[in-house]
Amino acid sequence: MKFPEETITTMAQLLPQVSPIAETSPEPEAQRDYSVEELAIAANTTVRNIRAYQDRGVLPPPALNGRKGVYNNQHLSRLRLIANLLDRGYTLSSIRELLAALEEGVGLSEILGIETAVNSPWTNEAPTTLAMTELAKMFGTKLTPSAIKSAHDLGLFSVSGTQMRISSMSTLKVAEELCATGIPLDELLDILRMMRGNVQRVADEFVKLVSQHVLEPYAEQKLPPKEELPKIAELIWRLRPLAEKVVDAELGRAMEIAASRFLADTLEAIMVDMPKE
């Protein structure tokens, strides 16, 4: 859920140094008044949505001219912002809290700092495009229909025409190397599925610790104080290398135990059967 440039520009118009909507100074765009029907057309939405946004507190009510509601450019700007944020996956409740924070003095940079820390990729690996024929060369006969379905279900790739968008080429390379030793691809994918569930549970609990013990003091507030937001963003960034270190260390410990448990007897038998010089 990244803020696109259009959203950032629109949000900048709502920073607290700007007066409330009814008193906002003119925008570069020529000011004009809208009826609710005209506003819905201009914002590419519906009158019903406009009413709902007002009821949910994300769109201020119109000025009144007699009994008729009159909307202006700032209402249109707000509707465009709401549409952008909804497209990025934000709920109306989170949008309301975000707008309230802006109006109460939390700067755009602090909000974007938290958003970037939370939603930036937690890996430096970028997706790779690969031809289906190349994938077939990598795995040969081990690329069975069931393996293809399992890999797709696990999100390892998506298909576009004859091209495949690989989410993690490093994972695919590991699988290729292991399959070359005779290990079935289906069984490797079963292990990956099992690992996903376990790793996700660990990640959930790890992040919960931060949420419960670092953010809990602000539970009764819409947002932590402005001066605390950069510290929270920094902590979220620090979670990345810390989590990697813990996982690497524990995986190394577990692999040592597993190797001793399952391979020690085989290694001993090989050494016993080796010819004596």
Side-chain angles (χ1 to χ4, degrees):
M1 293 189 299
K2 299 287 188 64
F3 287 124
E5 189 63 34
E6 180 183 356
T7 302
I8 295 174
T9 302
T10 309
M11 287 177 67
Q13 300 175 23
L14 302 172
L15 287 171
Q17 53 263 36
V18 178
S19 303
I21 278 190
E23 305 168 7
T24 303
S25 56
E27 299 287 333
E29 181 182 353
Q31 285 290 318
R32 63 160 291 184
D33 292 336
Y34 300 86
S35 67
V36 67
E37 292 81 9
E38 292 170 336
L39 182 66
I41 293 172
N44 194 29
T45 187
T46 65
V47 171
R48 182 177 181 180
N49 280 344
I50 291 174
R51 305 290 192 204
Y53 296 156
Q54 288 174 191
D55 291 342
R56 296 292 298 275
V58 295
L59 182 70
L64 292 177
N65 184 2
R67 299 180 61 183
K68 181 181 179 182
V70 179
Y71 298 84
N72 58 32
N73 288 24
Q74 283 67 54
H75 291 95
L76 178 59
S77 178
R78 178 69 67 91
L79 283 172
R80 288 171 176 165
L81 169 62
I82 293 169
N84 283 333
L85 293 176
L86 288 174
D87 286 344
R88 309 309 288 187
Y90 289 83
T91 65
L92 285 178
S93 295
S94 61
I95 293 172
R96 182 178 63 246
E97 293 185 0
L98 171 62
L99 294 172
L102 290 173
E103 291 167 355
E104 291 171 8
V106 176
L108 181 61
S109 61
E110 286 84 2
I111 294 292
L112 293 181
I114 293 286
E115 198 269 350
T116 300
V118 171
N119 293 306
S120 292
W122 283 58
T123 174
N124 293 325
E125 186 174 15
T128 305
T129 300
L130 196 68
M132 289 185 183
T133 53
E134 291 299 317
L135 192 68
K137 288 179 183 177
M138 291 175 68
F139 294 99
T141 57
K142 291 185 173 64
L143 194 65
T144 62
S146 62
I148 293 173
K149 184 179 185 306
S150 294
H152 183 271
D153 291 345
L154 286 166
L156 294 181
F157 68 84
S158 57
V159 180
S160 177
T162 59
Q163 298 293 309
M164 311 189 76
R165 189 172 188 269
I166 310 299
S167 61
S168 173
M169 196 63 191
S170 61
T171 299
L172 206 65
K173 288 289 187 182
V174 169
E176 179 188 20
E177 188 171 340
L178 290 172
C179 283
T181 68
I183 298 174
L185 179 57
D186 287 281
E187 294 185 28
L188 284 175
L189 293 171
D190 287 340
I191 292 174
L192 178 59
R193 181 180 292 105
M194 177 181 64
M195 183 176 69
R196 282 271 181 93
N198 292 328
V199 170
Q200 189 61 60
R201 282 193 291 273
V202 171
D204 288 347
E205 295 303 319
F206 197 68
V207 175
K208 277 182 186 178
L209 287 176
V210 177
S211 177
Q212 293 171 354
H213 297 285
V214 177
L215 302 182
E216 188 68 26
Y218 312 115
E220 302 301 319
Q221 306 176 37
K222 292 178 181 176
L223 280 175
K226 177 180 178 179
E227 61 273 12
E228 294 297 319
L229 292 180
K231 299 177 185 177
I232 294 171
E234 180 186 0
L235 173 60
I236 295 171
W237 283 111
R238 286 173 57 200
L239 278 179
R240 300 165 187 246
L242 291 176
E244 288 175 3
K245 288 177 182 178
V246 170
V247 171
D248 284 348
E250 285 303 304
L251 180 60
R253 181 195 65 82
M255 287 295 291
E256 182 178 342
I257 293 173
S260 177
R261 182 186 305 162
F262 297 109
L263 300 180
D265 290 344
T266 301
L267 179 61
E268 183 179 353
I270 291 174
M271 295 180 69
V272 167
D273 291 340
M274 285 181 67
K276 303 294 189 293
E277 292 185 0

